[in-house]
Amino acid sequence: MIPYILYASLILTACLIFYKLLLQKETFFYLNRFVLLLFIILAFILPVIHIPQEISFRKAAAPVNLASTEIPVDNNTTASTAQNAISRIDQPNQKNQSINLQKVEQWLIYLYWFGVVLCGLNFLMQAVALLYKAYSRPVIRDGKFRIVEIQGDKAPCSFGNNIFINPGKYDWETYNQVLLHEKIHIGQKHTFDLVLGEITLIFQWFNPFAWLWRKELENNLEFFTDRKVLQYDGVKKESYQLSLLKVAAPHFPLSLTTNYNQSLLKKRIVMMNAKKSNVHTTWKYFFLLPLMVLFVCLFNEPVVKSQSTVTKTNQKAQPAVTTGIQTEGNWFATIKDDKVNVQFKSAAEEKAMNGTTFLLKEFKDLPRDIPGVFSLKREAGTIEFTGKFDGDKGMGQYKFISDNNYNDDMHKEGIDVTGDKDIMVFFLVNLKRSYVPMLKKNGYTQPDKDKLIPLAALDVSEDYIKSIKEAGFPDISLDDLVPFKALNVDKAYINEIRNSGYKDITPEKIITFKAQGIDGKYIADFRDSDKTRADINTMNTVRQHVDDNSNKTGDVTADKNKNDEVYVMGKKKDKDEDDIIAFKALKIDHAFINSFKEIGYNDLSNSDLISFKALNVTPEYAITFRNAGYNNIKADELVSLKAQEVTPAVIKEYRDLGFANVTLDDVIGAKATGTSPTFIKSMREKGHNMKSLEKYIALKSVLGN
């Protein structure tokens, strides 16, 4: 349970950081509302999703069979009944230490549920207090709204269809604006958001980012409501802001209610005066998808088969690390080419098996056709097999005997092995005595059992470690070496990326590049197109500087190579990295870019291309407008048109209403505000015969829904 709660907390934290960095300042308040609610859904659903093993990064860190096979150990053997190897990776068995981690974990669970109970009781008390207040105080009915009169110096608020306000405190204009504000909250069902926020805090009470998320959710609801209020006829911005100042009170209402408060007032006034965000920036929202996919691939449990084998490296067969394998039981084997796949089966489980692959040359004197005894010896110990092979298939019994000297050597190196099952796992990954000293020699002074198993299973050798350090990562951690090796990141690949312009690239970014399949050729293709560089301000500045230093001849051709070199060396490195990842994730290629070149879009920026691909803007879509008489449509106009689902047929509907000179901006504005041809016709039937589309847009904004 604890891993699930912490994983949900991690996802919510990452989502909030994503929101704070990219979306907080955008004025798409309606969209932000659903994005913030989506964060909670993702936080609690993603941790329980199992993904194919092929796309999981976790298989590299611990390529294991997750089936557990518990076998009672015979009294005549030296095998312990400790937990299986992989469960010890997640929760090390510390029975030889003074602190019992199992008890600590149990107390943490008790503490967590104690906090859940307290927060749950607080939630119920708020709900009961609100319902009591709503049905025990004087009420004025206003359609579906219940205006509940309260006393004292308390800020107005709303909950459900109830508006709590002290009418004696405010003048008539302020009173009406407050009611309008709260009616919008109720009409938009903002109580649902706040209740969901409180329920989230019940289960994430320990997470400070959950409380920040709850605050951002409330802030966005207020920003959205303020924007809607200002769209009403007769509500002036200055008057409304003055009303906010009159209403703001230091006595905060319950957190279950929408409300006014002083701490939020400044932000609300700033957002009311902020310039509306350009639809062109909506591409930012699409980056949430690859972020969540990355989380799932990094942390979610992969769906595994009943057996697994560790990735082959350097043409050597490596064993699969199994979870529930016991030190004795039954074996079933198949010989194929130069390898032997052995299934270890527990006597206590009828179906559970754990498989691993060995090299055929490690076995000697395999018994053919008649029963016999053979063994497999490594530094950690010996597996003694009895049974026989009929052709390429064999079966029998096995028993693992650990090497006591090996056990002592591991303890001397500071590795805590607690029994024969630990040593058998080391046997299966062929962890040699020299491996730990090798790691210490290369700067890893305190390697532990948790990291040794995946490192040895992936054959992270001294030569490999040195090659990575020589490639520019002298301080690379063991945690990064595992995904490096699993993804086949080598010195050549790192140099390829560095030579492409990323001299200061981090291990994390290398992992992302490799996982996305980004190589030097892809980067070169990305940069070769003039279209992908046309809108980079720094590049333009460099070219202008070179042009000025060339006696203002206006010929920058001679300096083009120099300019490209400056760009490739990373003057816009951070933006370039993000753009490359976005291009790869959205599958933006030269064919896509050239399709727009062919219709005259020769100066598209990276952002333009990302927006086009994200919104599915195609050359055919642009051509339909040209055929309708709209030439020279800019890239951001195309994005806005597509975002509002504007087509030439839609424009024709407005023209047919008599707006012969209607502009694209007019149609975009009409679609954005819901000023449809049907609305215009209905207004004309009521006597509103206006000559311009802009006036109908203004009328729609005043009338709202």
Side-chain angles (χ1 to χ4, degrees):
M1 184 195 73
I2 287 181
Y4 169 79
I5 294 297
L6 293 179
Y7 186 13
S9 176
L10 179 62
I11 293 177
L12 181 58
T13 299
C15 288
L16 182 65
I17 293 174
F18 171 84
Y19 177 83
K20 297 282 282 185
L21 291 177
L22 293 181
L23 308 181
Q24 184 183 34
K25 295 183 179 179
E26 301 296 338
T27 61
F28 303 120
F29 305 129
Y30 189 75
L31 179 58
N32 282 351
R33 175 191 183 187
F34 291 99
V35 168
L36 287 166
L37 294 177
L38 178 64
F39 289 167
I40 287 302
I41 297 174
L42 293 174
F44 286 99
I45 291 181
L46 284 186
V48 300
I49 295 177
H50 292 278
I51 61 173
Q53 190 174 16
E54 292 77 11
I55 64 173
S56 173
F57 291 166
R58 288 191 60 172
K59 70 178 184 291
V64 299
N65 183 337
L66 295 177
S68 177
T69 309
E70 295 295 335
I71 300 180
V73 178
D74 193 291
N75 292 332
N76 296 325
T77 68
T78 58
S80 77
T81 56
Q83 295 176 324
N84 59 66
I86 296 304
S87 67
R88 283 195 297 268
I89 291 177
D90 294 327
Q91 296 177 344
N93 182 3
Q94 302 291 343
K95 67 179 183 179
N96 294 329
Q97 299 181 10
S98 60
I99 299 177
N100 190 323
L101 292 184
Q102 187 174 6
K103 289 185 178 180
V104 172
E105 180 183 353
Q106 193 66 38
W107 278 108
L108 287 176
I109 293 175
Y110 290 152
L111 177 62
Y112 170 75
W113 283 111
F114 179 72
V116 169
V117 171
L118 284 183
C119 292
L121 290 175
N122 178 62
F123 173 81
L124 291 176
M125 290 174 63
Q126 289 189 65
V128 170
L130 284 169
L131 292 175
Y132 175 78
K133 185 186 296 185
Y135 291 95
S136 64
R137 301 289 179 86
V139 173
I140 299 175
R141 285 282 185 175
D142 184 3
K144 66 177 182 179
F145 307 107
R146 301 177 76 253
I147 304 174
V148 181
E149 295 185 12
I150 60 176
Q151 303 296 324
D153 185 23
K154 294 184 179 180
C157 58
S158 62
F159 178 74
N161 67 333
N162 299 288
I163 301 174
F164 301 91
I165 187 172
N166 182 354
K169 279 190 60 180
Y170 312 112
D171 57 71
W172 181 249
E173 182 180 22
T174 301
Y175 179 76
N176 280 329
Q177 290 180 353
V178 169
L179 289 183
L180 177 59
H181 179 97
E182 298 303 333
K183 286 178 180 179
I184 292 173
H185 276 309
I186 294 172
Q188 295 293 324
K189 296 179 173 55
H190 289 172
T191 298
F192 169 81
D193 303 57
L194 299 178
V195 170
L196 181 61
E198 290 300 308
I199 294 175
T200 300
L201 291 182
I202 291 175
F203 295 98
Q204 286 281 309
W205 59 266
F206 61 91
N207 181 8
F209 289 94
W211 294 85
L212 291 175
W213 166 83
R214 167 63 171 75
K215 183 177 180 181
E216 290 299 333
L217 180 68
E218 181 181 357
N219 290 353
N220 185 71
L221 295 180
E222 296 301 331
F223 299 154
F224 171 79
T225 305
D226 290 337
R227 177 64 58 84
K228 294 288 288 185
V229 169
L230 294 177
Q231 292 175 356
Y232 277 76
D233 188 24
V235 178
K236 296 181 180 180
K237 184 184 298 184
E238 294 79 7
S239 173
Y240 179 62
Q241 292 175 354
L242 181 60
S243 294
L244 292 181
L245 292 172
K246 294 178 181 178
V247 173
H251 307 292
F252 299 142
L254 298 173
S255 58
L256 273 176
T257 60
T258 59
N259 59 80
Y260 297 76
N261 67 65
Q262 292 177 343
S263 62
L264 179 57
L265 181 57
K266 181 178 178 180
K267 292 181 181 179
R268 291 171 62 181
I269 293 176
V270 169
M271 293 305 288
M272 274 187 275
N273 291 279
K275 182 181 179 182
K276 288 187 178 181
S277 298
N278 194 316
V279 178
H280 181 59
T281 63
T282 53
W283 62 267
K284 296 179 182 179
Y285 291 85
F286 292 91
F287 275 99
L288 181 62
L289 176 61
L291 175 65
M292 292 300 100
V293 170
L294 181 60
F295 261 92
V296 169
C297 292
L298 281 174
F299 299 111
N300 279 40
E301 292 281 357
V303 177
V304 296
K305 301 177 182 178
S306 62
Q307 65 180 40
S308 62
T309 55
V310 175
T311 306
K312 292 191 298 181
T313 57
N314 300 327
Q315 303 302 317
K316 294 171 63 178
Q318 297 293 332
V321 183
T322 56
T323 64
I325 190 168
Q326 301 296 310
T327 56
E328 63 178 303
N330 299 319
W331 64 269
F332 303 85
T334 302
I335 300 174
K336 185 175 182 181
D337 299 328
D338 62 341
K339 300 177 181 64
V340 181
N341 179 264
V342 181
Q343 303 285 326
F344 297 98
K345 182 179 179 181
S346 165
E349 298 286 346
E350 292 296 327
K351 297 182 179 180
M353 286 190 180
N354 296 277
T356 190
T357 300
F358 303 96
L359 292 175
L360 181 59
K361 65 182 181 181
E362 292 187 84
F363 296 92
K364 294 182 180 180
D365 302 324
L366 291 179
R368 303 280 186 171
D369 299 327
I370 59 173
V373 178
F374 62 101
S375 63
L376 175 65
K377 186 174 182 179
R378 289 175 172 176
E379 290 188 9
T382 304
I383 296 182
E384 293 183 350
F385 298 88
T386 59
K388 69 172 183 176
F389 278 85
D390 291 326
D392 291 334
K393 298 183 182 298
M395 61 183 295
Q397 291 79 42
Y398 76 91
K399 180 179 179 180
F400 174 72
I401 302 173
S402 64
D403 186 302
N404 291 331
N405 293 330
Y406 180 90
N407 192 352
D408 293 339
D409 291 342
M410 288 294 110
H411 277 292
K412 289 178 183 178
E413 295 293 344
I415 306 303
D416 179 31
V417 286
T418 57
D420 282 1
K421 282 202 218 175
D422 270 353
I423 299 178
M424 188 169 181
V425 175
F426 285 0
F427 174 94
L428 293 176
V429 299
N430 200 14
L431 182 66
K432 298 181 179 180
R433 288 181 173 89
S434 60
Y435 196 73
V436 177
M438 180 274 290
L439 291 177
K440 292 182 177 180
K441 174 184 172 184
N442 285 275
Y444 305 104
T445 56
Q446 294 181 329
D448 57 37
K449 180 176 57 182
D450 302 1
K451 296 182 175 64
L452 286 177
I453 295 174
L455 288 167
L458 289 168
D459 192 23
V460 180
S461 64
E462 183 173 19
D463 289 340
Y464 181 77
I465 294 173
K466 287 182 176 180
S467 69
I468 298 300
K469 290 189 174 186
E470 291 170 358
F473 296 118
D475 300 319
I476 189 167
S477 67
L478 294 178
D479 291 331
D480 285 333
L481 280 171
V482 171
F484 264 47
K485 186 68 173 179
L487 292 169
N488 293 320
V489 175
D490 54 18
K491 183 177 180 180
Y493 178 77
I494 296 171
N495 289 336
E496 181 181 355
I497 299 301
R498 291 187 186 279
N499 292 336
S500 298
Y502 300 107
K503 301 299 181 182
D504 299 322
I505 194 165
T506 63
E508 292 77 11
K509 192 69 77 172
I510 281 283
I511 293 169
T512 303
F513 271 29
K514 186 68 173 179
Q516 288 282 349
I518 297 171
D519 55 17
K521 182 180 182 302
Y522 184 85
I523 295 172
D525 290 343
F526 173 82
R527 288 173 171 165
D528 276 346
S529 173
D530 290 336
K531 304 310 172 189
T532 62
R533 298 199 302 265
D535 195 38
I536 297 178
N537 295 330
T538 299
M539 188 64 212
N540 292 337
T541 303
V542 172
R543 289 184 174 176
Q544 183 63 45
H545 178 69
V546 172
D547 186 39
D548 292 342
N549 291 336
S550 300
N551 297 322
K552 300 183 179 180
T553 60
D555 182 10
V556 297
T557 304
D559 295 295
K560 182 179 184 299
N561 292 335
K562 181 177 180 181
N563 293 338
D564 289 342
E565 180 182 358
V566 172
Y567 177 80
V568 171
M569 292 301 288
K571 288 296 183 180
K572 288 293 287 183
K573 178 185 64 177
D574 293 338
K575 184 180 189 302
D576 192 25
E577 286 179 7
D578 294 338
D579 286 347
I580 288 177
I581 294 172
F583 270 48
K584 187 68 175 179
L586 292 172
K587 298 181 180 180
I588 299 174
D589 53 20
H590 277 292
F592 181 77
I593 298 171
N594 290 334
S595 66
F596 284 97
K597 284 185 182 180
E598 292 172 358
I599 63 172
Y601 287 93
N602 296 315
D603 296 316
L604 291 177
S605 68
N606 291 358
S607 297
D608 292 333
L609 291 166
I610 292 169
S611 298
F612 277 15
K613 191 69 172 181
L615 290 171
N616 195 28
V617 176
T618 63
E620 292 75 17
Y621 180 73
I623 291 173
T624 60
F625 287 98
R626 291 185 180 178
N627 294 338
Y630 291 92
N631 297 315
N632 302 320
I633 301 178
K634 297 179 181 179
D636 58 344
E637 291 178 327
L638 268 181
V639 171
S640 299
L641 289 165
K642 186 66 175 179
Q644 294 298 332
E645 299 181 354
V646 176
T647 64
V650 172
I651 297 175
K652 186 176 182 300
E653 291 184 36
Y654 287 102
R655 285 181 171 177
D656 291 344
L657 290 173
F659 306 114
N661 297 321
V662 65
T663 66
L664 294 179
D665 288 340
D666 289 339
V667 177
I668 293 171
K671 287 285 289 183
T673 57
T675 309
S676 64
T678 302
F679 171 79
I680 295 173
K681 291 177 182 178
S682 67
M683 290 298 102
R684 286 180 174 177
E685 291 174 357
K686 295 177 181 180
H688 299 283
N689 294 309
M690 292 176 279
K691 296 181 179 180
S692 70
L693 181 56
E694 290 181 350
K695 292 185 178 181
Y696 281 103
I697 294 174
L699 179 61
K700 177 63 175 177
S701 299
V702 170
L703 295 176
N705 295 329

